[in-house]
Amino acid sequence: MVKLIAGRILQGFGVLVAVSLIAFFGIYAIGDPTSLLVDPQATQQDVEQVRHNLGLDQPMWRQYGLFVGSLASGDFGRSFATHEPAMRMILERLPATLELALAAIVIAVVAGVPAGLAAGTHPGSRLDRVVMTASILGFSLPTFWVGLMLILVFAVNLGWLPSFGRGELGSWLGIHSSLFTLDGLRHILLPALNLALFPMSLVARLTRSGAREALELDFVRFARAKGISERRVVFVHILKYISVPIVTMIGMQLGLLVAFAIVTESVFSWPGTGKLLIESIGRLDRPVVVAYLLVIVSIFVLLNLLTDLVYLTLDPRVRFDAGAHAE
């Protein structure tokens, strides 16, 4: 167990180093941010002074060395545009993105798992065809178009739900979130539904595939032969059998939702990190972009580690394999 966790942490550290290199030099190669930060009427001397103040007059390798040295002391640098600490800017926006991703994954699981089970236990039925068709639409429809349609129908035409913003925040156990107020829930429903569309389709198809496979296995036939109710067979025996791949997919999708909520946040003006990233890229704000990527990769590493730990709980064979490998 300890070696497994240590191995994941070392892998994550290597990924962080690689991402910092790619992000830093990629943003460096895009252009010079001073052209966006100084007045167009500024003299060349003023431009050079700004470059010096930002450290952009140093060689690229030296800039990266200074950046890594700052990271070692917990300093991710300051925004070129606002001069605020880059990490503080991200951490201020991160709760909004996390709650949006969490709401989306809950919707995806609550809707996708029952739909997949119903389709998988009734192969070839009309319900099966409906679920499969809906999942194909969920994969195919562009996120920005779905978001605009949701706004048009539920916000503009019907006037049931707000179309932008985070809404009123509530507090529970010291945590501030829009999930704790009715107004906040009304604001998050449309963007969460829009963000959940793809993972919902993925969950439904994965669950359907696993359920169809489980129907042919001996333990399901034996349970039915014993007279166990169909509901218990499906929601206890079959669901437990397919839980490991579903948990794997949920862990991966949650990280992807946090990382790629950019389109949804832009469409619904959700004040999260995705919107901040778009703004920072537009003004070549290197410290904010690099800090954002490092935070997102850290979240991925943490989610992968948690997923592995859930494996050890759900499937004893995974525990045995992990222990044998560690030995």
Side-chain angles (χ1 to χ4, degrees), residues 12-322:
F13 179 76
V15 172
L16 285 172
V17 173
V19 168
S20 70
L21 278 167
I22 295 172
F24 191 90
F25 291 110
I27 296 296
Y28 184 95
I30 289 176
D32 188 353
T34 55
S35 60
L36 303 175
L37 300 176
V38 299
D39 191 287
Q41 305 299 323
T43 65
Q44 185 62 32
Q45 183 177 0
D46 294 333
V47 173
E48 293 300 326
Q49 183 62 43
V50 171
R51 287 177 55 81
H52 177 74
N53 293 340
L54 297 177
L56 298 175
D57 56 344
Q58 301 288 335
M60 184 167 55
W61 62 269
R62 180 169 174 75
Q63 290 186 45
Y64 182 73
L66 293 173
F67 171 73
V68 172
S70 298
L71 286 182
S73 61
D75 182 9
F76 285 77
R78 290 181 173 270
S79 166
F80 290 162
T82 65
H83 304 293
E84 297 180 46
M87 183 54 66
R88 188 176 71 185
M89 294 176 64
I90 293 170
L91 294 180
E92 287 175 351
R93 301 282 195 102
L94 188 59
T97 298
L98 290 177
E99 71 182 28
L100 178 60
L102 181 62
I105 204 68
V106 168
I107 292 174
V109 173
V110 170
V113 170
L117 284 174
T121 53
H122 299 84
S125 64
R126 179 178 298 178
L127 177 60
D128 186 21
R129 292 194 294 270
V130 168
V131 171
M132 291 298 292
T133 302
S135 66
I136 291 174
L137 290 175
F139 287 134
S140 306
L141 294 176
T143 302
F144 73 91
W145 183 84
V146 175
L148 293 175
M149 291 301 101
L150 290 174
I151 291 174
L152 181 63
V153 173
F154 294 101
V156 177
N157 292 340
L158 298 176
W160 291 352
L161 296 169
S163 61
F164 64 90
R166 192 179 177 191
E168 181 183 355
L169 300 183
S171 180
W172 182 68
L173 297 179
I175 302 173
H176 300 282
S177 172
S178 60
L179 298 175
F180 302 143
T181 67
L182 180 59
D183 182 65
L185 290 173
R186 293 180 69 249
H187 277 79
I188 201 174
L189 184 57
L190 287 184
L193 182 60
N194 184 50
L195 192 60
L197 194 59
F198 182 88
M200 187 192 306
S201 303
L202 197 59
V203 169
R205 292 180 72 92
L206 181 62
T207 305
R208 173 186 177 274
S209 176
R212 292 195 62 176
E213 177 186 337
L215 287 176
E216 306 298 326
L217 299 179
D218 291 339
F219 77 91
V220 173
R221 294 176 178 176
F222 181 71
R224 284 175 168 172
K226 288 178 62 177
I228 297 176
S229 67
E230 186 68 16
R231 183 183 183 88
R232 181 173 177 82
V233 169
V234 172
F235 287 98
V236 175
H237 297 280
I238 293 179
L239 187 58
K240 183 178 180 180
Y241 173 76
I242 64 177
S243 61
V244 171
I246 291 177
V247 167
T248 304
M249 192 279 302
I250 290 173
M252 294 177 60
Q253 286 299 311
L254 183 57
L256 291 173
L257 291 179
V258 173
F260 300 113
I262 299 172
V263 174
T264 296
E265 291 185 357
S266 298
V267 171
F268 291 91
S269 297
W270 189 262
T273 54
K275 197 166 183 293
L276 175 64
L277 177 65
I278 293 296
E279 296 169 355
S280 300
I281 291 176
R283 57 197 182 198
L284 300 178
D285 201 345
R286 186 193 306 155
V288 178
V289 174
V290 176
Y292 167 85
L293 293 175
L294 293 179
V295 169
I296 294 301
V297 171
S298 299
I299 291 175
F300 266 105
V301 172
L302 177 61
L303 288 174
N304 285 334
L305 176 59
L306 293 177
T307 302
D308 288 340
L309 295 179
V310 173
Y311 283 169
L312 304 181
T313 303
L314 293 177
D315 193 342
R317 293 171 299 178
V318 177
R319 182 184 298 114
F320 176 79
D321 293 342

